[in-house]
Structure formats: structure tokens, C-alpha cells
Amino acid sequence: MSVVALVPAAGRGVRLGLGTPKALVPVRGESLLLRAVRGLLDSGCVQHVVVASPSDQVEVVAAELATLPNAHVVPGGAERTDSVRLALGAVDEVAPDARVVLVHDAARCFTPATVIRDVVSAVESGAPAVVPVLPVADTIKKVDESGTVVETVDRAPLRAVQTPQGFNIDVLRQAYAVAGDIATDDAGLVERLGGKVHTVDGHPNALKITTAFDLAVAEAVLAAEERSPE
């Protein structure tokens, strides 16, 4: 049975301020999207990737991924939730035998293959939903409407969530069937249904590139890795 990854990549990347769809922003000569999709396919456990692109950029995105086998492009929607739903709707045509589906951010294009494999393995072992997580390093304060600190939150049980998030495909379909509003976290939709969401260890390299500063950090890290001897 196939594992399919969905990549909602219809965002305009306003915070990056580069005037191009975020997923097509290059990092040292290759776009975030190309790096992310190639990373999924090279993990050894993902057979197909469905990318939801800006509706007016389908041909551009398809050309960007033309060198990759089993990378499919569909028009995305106005919101991330719409794009995931549209990509999920294409799975039956792309891989009708799929039982595991991942949802991955193109902006987390440096996610290590080990994280991807751990997520897939956990779903294949019976978990309905799985997310990679990292402990929260910063001190967390809860504030009121005026900005005054109400309390310092115990960060010990807190986790920052990364992608790819993994699901039994029937669970994700059920979650999206009843999702009527905008959601930035697919596992959160499963939680609304009362489903259990399991965790695996994330990785610092799976940072989300959102701002120009994030992009500069990613370029610096990649440059350092390229200079390092094998």
C-alpha cells in the first residue's frame, strides 16, 4: 500500500516579501518546494506527493517539479484548509491503495528523512494521527488583553509541532468532512473528533521558513553543511 504526502503550497508568502509564491522562493538555487518534495520522495517511505499550488501557477509548479517522479500538482484554494482538502481529494486517482497520508509544509524543506520515516512507521503501527514535536525552549508567559503577564506557564509538558503530520487516510478524510472553518493544524481537526494524536521526535532542521530572517538562517545552515567534509 502506498504512502501519499500532501503539500499545501498555494500561499503567497507575504511575510517573506519577495513578490513570488512562498513555495517557489529559492534557497541556494533550489526552491523550498523542490527541496521539500524531493526530501519526501527520497525518504524511502513516500511513493507519491500531491502538491496544491496557487490556482494560477499550476503549470509553473508542475515545471518546477518535472524532474521528480510521482509528484502531482493540483490547483489549491484560498486557505490552507482548502488546499489540503483539494489535495486529499486527488489521492484516489493518484494512489487508490493509499492507507497512510502525510501533510507537509513546503516551508519545512530541510526536515530529515528520519523524521518522515518515524511518522510513517507510527501510523503504519496503528496510530490514527502522528505529529513530530520538539520541547519548548523559551519561557512562556500568559498575558491578558492589556499585555500584562497573568502567569508563567509550565513549559515541561509543552511541545512545538512540526511537519509532516501523518494520518490513517480514513481518519483525515473524516476530519476534513466535518471541518467547516480555517485550520492551520491538521492534527487539531482530529482532536476535535476526539481522536488521539501521537507524537514522535522532531528535529531542529525542520524549522519553518516564514520570514526573511528564517530564509537567511536556512541559507547559512545549508552553506555550512555544503562546506563540511563527508
Side-chain angles (χ1 to χ4, degrees), residues 153-213:
V153 180
D154 179 11
R155 69 187 181 194
L158 301 181
R159 297 293 182 270
V161 177
Q162 300 179 323
T163 70
Q165 298 186 2
F167 306 89
N168 174 289
I169 193 168
D170 292 332
V171 170
L172 189 62
R173 282 174 170 157
Q174 183 182 5
Y176 266 87
V178 299
D181 55 2
I182 298 171
T184 58
D185 177 56
D186 304 284
L189 298 178
V190 175
E191 292 172 41
R192 293 183 195 178
L193 296 177
K196 289 187 177 181
V197 178
H198 298 256
T199 66
V200 298
D201 290 338
H203 194 281
N205 283 10
L207 77 162
K208 186 175 184 180
I209 299 173
T210 302
T211 66
F213 178 79

Side-chain angles (χ1 to χ4, degrees), residues 97-181:
D97 63 337
R99 302 311 308 154
V100 177
V101 61
L102 308 180
V103 183
H104 190 41
D105 296 327
R108 298 187 189 273
C109 60
F110 298 111
T111 300
T114 52
V115 174
I116 299 168
R117 290 195 289 264
D118 286 349
V119 171
V120 170
S121 177
V123 179
E124 289 179 335
S125 296
V130 179
V131 296
V133 299
L134 288 177
V136 174
D138 295 327
T139 297
I140 305 296
K141 302 283 188 181
K142 182 177 180 180
V143 301
D144 61 18
E145 293 180 357
S146 70
T148 301
V149 172
V150 175
E151 65 175 309
T152 300
V153 180
D154 179 11
R155 69 187 181 194
L158 301 181
R159 297 293 182 270
V161 177
Q162 300 179 323
T163 70
Q165 298 186 2
F167 306 89
N168 174 289
I169 193 168
D170 292 332
V171 170
L172 189 62
R173 282 174 170 157
Q174 183 182 5
Y176 266 87
V178 299
D181 55 2

Side-chain angles (χ1 to χ4, degrees), residues 2-5 7 33-51 61-73 94-95:
S2 298
V3 175
V4 179
V7 181
L33 181 62
L34 178 60
R35 290 179 180 277
V37 174
R38 186 173 59 213
L40 288 163
L41 293 170
D42 285 353
S43 70
C45 60
V46 175
Q47 285 73 48
H48 296 272
V49 179
V50 181
V51 176
V61 171
E64 181 73 8
L65 303 176
T67 60
L68 300 180
N70 297 326
H72 316 270
V73 183
V94 168

